[in-house]
Amino acid sequence: MTGLYELVWRVLHALLCLHRTLTYWLRVRFGTWNWLWRRCCRAASAAVLAPLVFTLRKPPAVGRNRRQHRHPRGGPGLGAPHPQLRWRADGRSLKKLPVHMGLVITEEEQETSFSDIASLVVWCMAVGISYISVYDHQGIFKRNNSRLMDEILKQQQELLGLDCSKYSTEFANSNDKDDQVLNCQSAVKVLSPEDGKADIVRAAQEFCQLVAQQQQKSTDLDVHMLDSLLSASGFPDPDVVLKFGPVESTLGFLPWHIRLTEIISLPSHLNIRYEDFFSALRQYAACEQRLGK
């Protein structure tokens, strides 16, 4: 067996020497064809090796193991239109868009996420909602109002990019004496359980002053009068409330203002996707259409 290997080796060595000798003779014989010879050799090598390269190339992964490049927080992948263009088109596609949306979080304190709530607020702004209220029954967001507002501004930059300048925002703090809403595209208010009760107390006090000044009679108090007193803050009544969490209650969120409000329940605000948010908007629009509003 060893002799056979040695014979094969000698034959291959002799062929290599013959190849070198023939190549040298051709170069000397046809010196002007040297450049053409090199080009032909390279072309032949490329023709032989190209199929081998494509054969050895690793095919892309398919199925559940394939990595998808997605825009953060539910945006489109590569090759898709920029997210704010999609959000703007989504808002125009709805037959009815809420003017005022409430975001009510009924989850426990350790389950609150400022970044996820900020994303929800920015999505509201992007689709064209003018007034957004953020509420939790423990007052976490109101106690950390500045942190939430900073997160909203940060999410504006990340999600809207250069387009964020088109979405001017006013942060209306319900503790301010002058709580009038400025003429801007979106207004955000952070609320806690005291706000709904405090508004009713303030409205009652104003009505009592009007009666004392003989500008109103005690018998004038009705639904429309209370509505006018409670709407003095500039925020209209919420059209729809997105309630997050397992509790089947709004836990004191603006008790008078939501008597005609559509309430849509979602499991959690944590890691919420834009698709879930827009699905709730479609549900609201379909409900309003059925009611003929």
Side-chain angles (χ1 to χ4, degrees):
M1 197 69 177
T2 305
L4 179 62
Y5 287 150
E6 184 177 356
L7 177 61
V8 171
W9 172 256
R10 289 182 180 276
V11 171
L12 291 175
H13 186 266
L15 290 174
L16 179 61
C17 293
L18 179 63
H19 175 267
R20 289 178 177 176
T21 303
L22 182 61
T23 302
Y24 177 76
W25 180 79
L26 289 173
R27 288 181 178 177
V28 173
R29 180 72 175 176
F30 307 102
T32 57
W33 292 81
N34 190 23
W35 176 81
L36 183 59
W37 170 264
R38 289 199 304 268
R39 292 297 300 270
C40 291
C41 290
R42 289 175 183 174
S45 300
V48 172
L49 294 177
L52 183 61
V53 171
F54 285 102
T55 302
L56 296 178
R57 188 175 181 180
K58 187 178 180 180
V62 295
R64 60 183 300 178
N65 294 325
R66 183 175 181 178
R67 296 187 60 187
Q68 296 181 355
H69 299 275
R70 296 176 60 86
H71 190 275
R73 303 200 177 277
L78 294 178
H82 207 278
Q84 66 258 31
L85 299 178
R86 172 193 173 187
W87 299 335
R88 203 177 304 156
D90 286 344
R92 290 195 295 264
S93 69
L94 295 174
K95 294 186 178 297
K96 184 166 185 180
L97 190 69
V99 177
H100 181 186
M101 171 175 280
L103 305 174
V104 177
I105 293 84
T106 65
E107 296 159 284
E108 296 300 326
E109 180 175 359
Q110 61 270 19
E111 297 177 346
T112 54
S113 170
F114 284 80
S115 61
D116 289 317
I117 291 297
S119 295
L120 283 163
V121 171
V122 174
W123 292 338
C124 288
M125 296 162 50
V127 298
I129 298 174
S130 300
Y131 301 94
I132 306 111
S133 295
V134 179
Y135 175 89
D136 72 285
H137 66 289
Q138 301 178 74
I140 299 170
F141 293 114
K142 188 171 183 180
R143 288 196 303 270
N144 299 275
N145 181 69
S146 59
R147 176 184 172 187
L148 178 60
M149 298 311 166
D150 289 342
E151 188 66 35
I152 291 172
L153 293 174
K154 176 184 175 183
Q155 293 290 341
Q156 275 187 290
Q157 294 288 339
E158 291 183 0
L159 299 180
L160 301 178
L162 297 176
D163 208 32
C164 68
S165 59
K166 299 179 182 178
Y167 300 93
S168 57
T169 310
E170 183 217 359
F171 302 121
N173 188 335
S174 58
N175 285 333
D176 294 342
K177 294 182 179 179
D178 184 10
D179 202 23
Q180 297 297 319
V181 178
L182 301 179
N183 183 20
C184 61
Q185 190 159 5
S186 295
V188 181
K189 182 180 285 188
V190 183
L191 303 172
S192 64
E194 305 87 50
D195 294 300
K197 299 175 182 178
D199 286 342
I200 295 176
V201 170
R202 178 183 55 78
Q205 291 174 343
E206 290 182 8
F207 181 75
C208 290
Q209 290 177 358
L210 293 174
V211 172
Q213 297 169 3
Q214 298 183 349
Q215 298 181 20
Q216 295 287 344
K217 298 178 181 179
S218 59
T219 57
D220 293 336
L221 183 60
D222 57 11
V223 174
H224 300 292
M225 173 62 69
L226 190 55
D227 274 341
S228 63
L229 293 172
L230 288 173
S231 62
S233 63
F235 265 60
D237 292 347
D239 300 296
V240 61
V241 166
L242 298 188
K243 183 191 70 65
F244 301 94
V247 181
E248 295 298 330
S249 170
T250 55
L251 300 178
F253 171 69
L254 300 179
W256 176 265
H257 304 73
I258 63 171
R259 66 195 185 281
L260 300 176
T261 299
E262 178 76 16
I263 300 175
I264 299 174
S265 297
L266 294 172
S268 175
H269 72 288
L270 299 176
N271 300 316
I272 187 169
R273 304 179 307 159
Y274 171 78
E275 289 76 11
D276 298 327
F277 164 77
F278 188 65
S279 176
L281 285 182
R282 285 201 302 264
Q283 182 178 341
Y284 161 78
C287 180
E288 293 295 296
Q289 187 177 9
R290 287 195 302 268
L291 295 175
K293 295 183 179 180

